[in-house]
Structure formats: C-alpha cells, structure tokens
Amino acid sequence: MWGTGQAQRQAIISSKHATRSETLSLASQYDSVTHDAFLRATATEIVESIAAGEWTASQVLEAYMARAAVAQAKTNCITEVLFEDAKKQVKELDEEFARTGKLRGSLHGVPMSFKDQYETVGYDATIGFTHWANKPATGDAFLVTQCRKAGAVIIVKTNVPQTMFAFECANALWGRTTNPWGDKFTCGGSSGGEAALLAMDGSALGVGSDIGGSLRIPTSYCGVYAFKPSSDRVSGDGTKSCNPGFEAIRVSYGPMGRSVKDCELFCRIVFGEQDSAHKIAPIPFRPIELANKLKFGYYFSDGMLQSSPANVRAVQETINVLRSQGHECIEFSPTLSKEAMNTFVGLITADGYQRMLSTVESDPKEDSLFISTLGPKLPGFVRSLIAWAAKTFYGDQAFHDLFLLARSKSVAEFVEFADRRNKLIISWYREVWDKYGFDGIIAPVQSLPTVPHGGCAMLSPIAICTILYNIIDSPVGIIPITRVDPKQDILPVDFVPGASGTSAVLEKQMYTDPTPVYDPVAMAGIPVGVQVVGRKWEDEKVLAMMKVVDDALGPTRGFGPGSWTVQ
C-alpha cells in the first residue's frame, strides 16, 4: 500500500483539526444556570421531559453541544462533529412534536455519540488513520440508523486507539485522549473517547464495541456505565475494522451511558433488529422478573495478576451491599482465566498481526501496541529466550506461556486454538455456572484502576479480566463503584510480585518498581468499577442484575449525570 508522506500527513491532521474546531465553535458557551438541568438528566428523563412538553429537543441539544465543547477542550475526546446536521434534526423533531403531539421514538431528542468506527453518512470513519481521512461514509451504520429512527440526535463521534487494539486512546490523526478525572492517566480504550465524553456529560448516550474489554475498561476508568451484550444480539454492520473477517473472537456492540436504565433503553430498541446480513439472533428484548434473592459468585483477582487494593475494595464493597440486601454471595477462583488469556493470544496473533498492522501504513506506530505486537516480530529463538528468562529468573510461568504463544501460526494450529476456545467455554459452564448455580458473577474490570499514559505499552496483558468474558462470550455490565482513596488503597508493605503464582514480571512493573504504575496518591479520585456477568443469551437478566447492584449501592457515591463539574 502507498503510505502518506510526513508533509501530507501533517496537512491532513491540520485540516481535520481545523474543521473540528470550526464546527465546535457553533456551540454556545457552557452556562451552568442555563444548561445544567438538561445535563443532569439521563437519556430516559430527557425523553420524558420532552414528551411532557417541558423541554424541546433544541434546548437539550444546545446544552449538550456546549458541554461537548468543554469535554473536548479538557480531554481531546471528539473526532467528527455533527452539530450542523444535529441542529437541522432537532428543528424537525420539535416541529413534528408541535404538530402531532407524538414522539418519533424512544430516543426522541436524545443527544448521542458514537465511537469513531461507526459510519455516519457524510463524515469520515478514520479510526485515527490519517490515510483514511477525507473519505466520508456514503451511508449510516446499522445502529446509527436504528437510533435515528428512534429520534436520537447524533452530535459527535469519539476517539479510539490506533488499530483499536489497546486500552489507551491515542492515534496519529487525533492525538491522545485523557481521563476526565486525572489528565496524567488514560481514559482507557478502545471506546475511550466515548467514556471520557459521557463522564463529562458531553453526550446523553453513547455506543461502543468490545473484543477484549473495549466497552468495559474505559467505562471503569471514567466512571460511567456500559453493557457488553452476547455477541449475536446487536449488529455491527457499517463499522470500520482493522481486521475484518476475523471471527475467532466475536466483537460485541453495545451502549455506554450514565445510568443502567439508559443502557437498557438502547437494548430495548436494537435487540433482535436484523441487518442486511441477517446475522443477529431474532430475539427482541425480553423483560425479566428477578427472584427476590439472587446467588452471586465473586472473585478479587483473575489468577494471572493480583488486583490492586482499590480494585479489590470495589468488589468487596459490592459484595457487602448485596449481602446486606439478602443476596447470597460465594467466593470462587476463576481457574480458567489463564487458559482464556492463552487462547485469546493464540488466536489473535495467528497471522502475526499482519493484516491489523498493515492498516497503519506510514502513520507512526503508537507505543501502546509495543508488547502486544512484539512477539510475532521476533525470531523464534529470541522469543524463546525472553520466555525462558522470565521463567528462570522470575519464576514467571504465566508470562513464559503467554509470550511463547505470541507468534504466527499455521492454519492447523489456528484450528487447534479455536478448538481450545470451544472446549474452554464448555469447561467454564461446567465448572462455574453449572457447579455453583450462580445467577451472576461480580468481578474486577482490571487489576488496576487505570494506567498512566504509556502504561499500556508493557502492560496490555492486564486486560485478562475482560478478555475472559470475550472468550466465553458472556453478556457483561459495568457499574461504577468507588474511587481510588490514598488512605484505604495502599499496597501492603509485604507484597511480593508473583508470590501467589501470578506474573512476577508484570506485577513488578505494576507495584514494586521504583516508579510503579499503581500509585494511589496520584490516582486519587479515579473511578473503579466492577463487572456484572451472566450466561450467554441472558442479556436482559444481566441488565436487571446491574440495576440490583446499582440500587443496592445507592445514589450518593457520586456517579451519573452531573458528577463531573467544570474545573
């Protein structure tokens, strides 16, 4: 492929940034008195207020445009800006409602944002590649169409990591997105710009995707809500990808929002809706009534890495409130997590990342891809030497096994790993769901609350907590639980990397290096969430269990609309 020269690349970047700035200037200045009533409403409440004649779609849009501009200035979370089209759309919505007294649909007047990969007619879907710029989509992605039909107003698209295969959020075209709660830290990825925008009330409802934690990790880092459906419940038709056709691990497409109810609202609209390929299970949203007493399994660490005190506390606080509500909670060990991570790496590296990395072309490669893409580039003897050193000098069997698997494979080997995936799913159901009879599982989202910029370069394996449920293909919700507290979340003085059979190589970087990644003082105030996990196809049950958890924790913990204030 022909690359983009440095001068041409810089011209593209300057042009795209200038267009974004010019369109953002259409927003009015944010004013708390004028705008906060709209910004503190959930998507569900916005629709209710418009239906009652209390608000117009135009008023709501003006507030969210103003706040989106604030969010962009703070975190660099936005890529494409659709303000001009949005203004035309709300005018039509308001005229239609004045004439008929009826809402267009369940999202009437709701300002929405989409991860950059979703095609939106008339706008680029660059996913951060300079050479994909200035090639506007000729149609809408399926989910964009469905949301527009329901009356949603698309206002912006949001930033992603280069290749969307990292949980930091930076690329050559749009640059780096920061965490709204601490600008030295990442917002997460790959749906990172979406999470940052929602945390700052720059959108009322968003849409992302997930193949290894891309909905869930940034949601936890930024303190919002998300739902990863079973992979065949929601269509991804019309989304850009760096590795189209790879289906050994299925992508899930789902909502990100500021409340459980808004995540459910999205699912009620899109579940069972068929795209042109008819790949989605024809199962519309099925309301469910939960038992008064539920049985939850839980664990604090994934078995490969010891979770930080902050992440352990998030799980413990969740279990404490569930028990106080009369629910049964049983601790168990996720013994198949390492096998899930090994299987993921075995499958995802099968072509040596050739197709994925070919999309980068001449754009500078982001550091966040370093360790995850290193293995396949090395000669076999070098890869084996690094793995041997980790095992011999650190006693790190987990890192040894994982690193050896990061290589190109034959078709026969690829099929063997697909078979391992299928057998692992059967084993998980037998050893966890069937053995214990859990309704749901409460699990950490990651072993760290977030990472500083550049942290993903060497620590991409910490995504194991979320990757497990991509391999199993479970529906998973994210609930924000607490925030890092320097007084409560100090690492024990006797902590030894790898002492519990975990990865000493990774835990040393995380916890005991001279400048460890985990720093509860620097991370003070960073949100920490948990995963609420269910069996495949029990998506509605997971959404209902998310509400149980959220209600049990109560509204005073400082999440949801209005939780972030302009600094």
Coordinates of all heavy atoms in Angstrom, one line a residue, residues 352 370-371 373-387 399 403-404 406-408:
G352 N 0.3 -13.2 12.8 CA 1.4 -12.3 13.2 C 1.0 -10.8 13.2 O 1.9 -9.9 13.1
F370 N 3.2 -1.9 21.8 CA 4.5 -2.5 21.8 C 4.5 -3.9 22.2 O 4.8 -4.8 21.5 CB 5.4 -1.7 22.7 CG 6.8 -2.3 22.9 CD1 7.7 -2.3 21.9 CD2 7.1 -2.9 24.1 CE1 8.9 -3.0 22.0 CE2 8.3 -3.6 24.2 CZ 9.2 -3.6 23.2
I371 N 4.1 -4.2 23.5 CA 4.3 -5.6 24.0 C 3.3 -6.5 23.3 O 3.6 -7.7 23.1 CB 4.2 -5.6 25.5 CG1 4.6 -7.0 26.1 CG2 2.7 -5.4 26.0 CD1 6.1 -7.2 26.0
T373 N 2.2 -6.6 20.3 CA 2.6 -7.0 18.9 C 4.1 -7.4 18.8 O 4.5 -7.6 17.7 CB 2.3 -5.8 18.0 OG1 3.1 -4.6 18.3 CG2 0.8 -5.4 18.0
L374 N 4.8 -7.4 19.9 CA 6.2 -7.7 19.9 C 6.5 -9.1 19.5 O 7.4 -9.4 18.6 CB 6.9 -7.4 21.2 CG 8.4 -7.8 21.4 CD1 9.2 -6.9 20.4 CD2 8.8 -7.5 22.8
G375 N 5.8 -10.1 20.1 CA 6.2 -11.5 19.9 C 6.3 -12.0 18.5 O 7.3 -12.6 18.1
P376 N 5.3 -11.7 17.7 CA 5.3 -12.2 16.3 C 6.5 -11.6 15.4 O 6.9 -12.2 14.4 CB 4.0 -11.8 15.7 CG 3.1 -11.7 16.9 CD 3.9 -11.1 18.0
K377 N 7.0 -10.5 15.9 CA 8.1 -9.8 15.1 C 9.4 -10.5 15.4 O 10.4 -10.3 14.6 CB 8.2 -8.3 15.4 CG 6.9 -7.6 14.9 CD 7.1 -6.1 15.1 CE 7.4 -5.7 16.5 NZ 7.5 -4.2 16.7
L378 N 9.6 -11.2 16.5 CA 10.9 -11.7 16.9 C 11.2 -13.0 16.3 O 10.3 -13.9 16.1 CB 10.8 -11.9 18.5 CG 10.7 -10.6 19.3 CD1 10.5 -11.0 20.8 CD2 11.8 -9.6 19.1
P379 N 12.5 -13.3 16.0 CA 12.8 -14.6 15.7 C 12.5 -15.6 16.8 O 12.5 -15.3 18.0 CB 14.4 -14.5 15.5 CG 14.6 -13.1 15.3 CD 13.6 -12.4 16.1
G380 N 12.2 -16.8 16.4 CA 11.7 -17.8 17.4 C 12.7 -18.0 18.6 O 12.2 -18.1 19.7
F381 N 14.0 -18.0 18.3 CA 14.9 -18.2 19.4 C 15.0 -17.1 20.3 O 15.2 -17.2 21.5 CB 16.3 -18.5 18.8 CG 17.1 -17.3 18.3 CD1 18.0 -16.7 19.2 CD2 17.0 -16.9 17.0 CE1 18.7 -15.6 18.8 CE2 17.7 -15.8 16.6 CZ 18.5 -15.1 17.5
V382 N 14.7 -15.8 19.9 CA 14.7 -14.7 20.7 C 13.5 -14.7 21.6 O 13.5 -14.4 22.8 CB 14.7 -13.4 19.9 CG1 14.6 -12.1 20.8 CG2 16.0 -13.3 19.1
R383 N 12.3 -15.0 21.0 CA 11.1 -15.2 21.8 C 11.2 -16.2 22.8 O 10.8 -16.0 24.0 CB 9.9 -15.5 20.8 CG 8.5 -15.5 21.5 CD 7.4 -16.0 20.5 NE 7.5 -15.4 19.2 CZ 7.9 -16.1 18.1 NH1 8.2 -17.4 18.2 NH2 8.0 -15.6 16.9
S384 N 11.8 -17.3 22.5 CA 12.0 -18.4 23.5 C 13.0 -18.0 24.6 O 12.8 -18.4 25.7 CB 12.6 -19.7 22.8 OG 11.7 -20.2 21.8
L385 N 14.0 -17.2 24.2 CA 15.0 -16.8 25.2 C 14.3 -15.8 26.2 O 14.6 -15.9 27.4 CB 16.1 -16.0 24.5 CG 17.3 -15.5 25.4 CD1 17.9 -16.7 26.2 CD2 18.3 -14.7 24.6
I386 N 13.5 -14.9 25.7 CA 12.8 -14.0 26.7 C 11.8 -14.8 27.6 O 11.8 -14.5 28.8 CB 12.0 -12.9 25.8 CG1 13.0 -12.0 25.1 CG2 11.1 -12.1 26.8 CD1 12.3 -11.1 24.1
A387 N 11.1 -15.7 27.0 CA 10.2 -16.5 27.8 C 11.0 -17.3 28.9 O 10.6 -17.4 30.0 CB 9.4 -17.5 26.9
F399 N 3.9 -15.5 32.3 CA 4.4 -14.7 31.3 C 5.1 -15.6 30.2 O 5.0 -15.3 29.0 CB 5.4 -13.7 31.9 CG 5.9 -12.7 30.8 CD1 5.2 -11.5 30.6 CD2 7.0 -12.9 30.1 CE1 5.6 -10.6 29.7 CE2 7.5 -12.0 29.2 CZ 6.8 -10.8 28.9
F403 N 4.0 -15.4 26.3 CA 4.9 -14.8 25.4 C 5.2 -15.9 24.3 O 5.3 -15.5 23.1 CB 6.2 -14.3 26.0 CG 6.9 -13.3 25.2 CD1 6.4 -12.0 25.1 CD2 8.1 -13.6 24.6 CE1 7.0 -11.1 24.3 CE2 8.8 -12.7 23.8 CZ 8.2 -11.4 23.7
L404 N 5.3 -17.1 24.6 CA 5.6 -18.1 23.6 C 4.5 -18.3 22.6 O 4.7 -18.7 21.4 CB 5.9 -19.5 24.3 CG 7.2 -19.7 24.9 CD1 7.3 -21.1 25.6 CD2 8.4 -19.5 24.0
A406 N 2.6 -15.8 21.4 CA 2.5 -14.6 20.6 C 3.4 -14.8 19.3 O 4.5 -14.2 19.2 CB 2.9 -13.4 21.4
R407 N 2.9 -15.6 18.4 CA 3.6 -15.8 17.1 C 2.6 -16.2 16.0 O 1.5 -16.5 16.3 CB 4.6 -17.0 17.4 CG 3.9 -18.3 17.9 CD 4.8 -19.4 18.0 NE 4.1 -20.6 18.7 CZ 3.3 -21.4 18.0 NH1 3.0 -21.2 16.7 NH2 2.7 -22.4 18.6
S408 N 3.2 -16.1 14.8 CA 2.3 -16.6 13.7 C 2.1 -18.1 13.7 O 2.9 -18.8 14.3 CB 3.1 -16.2 12.4 OG 3.2 -14.8 12.2

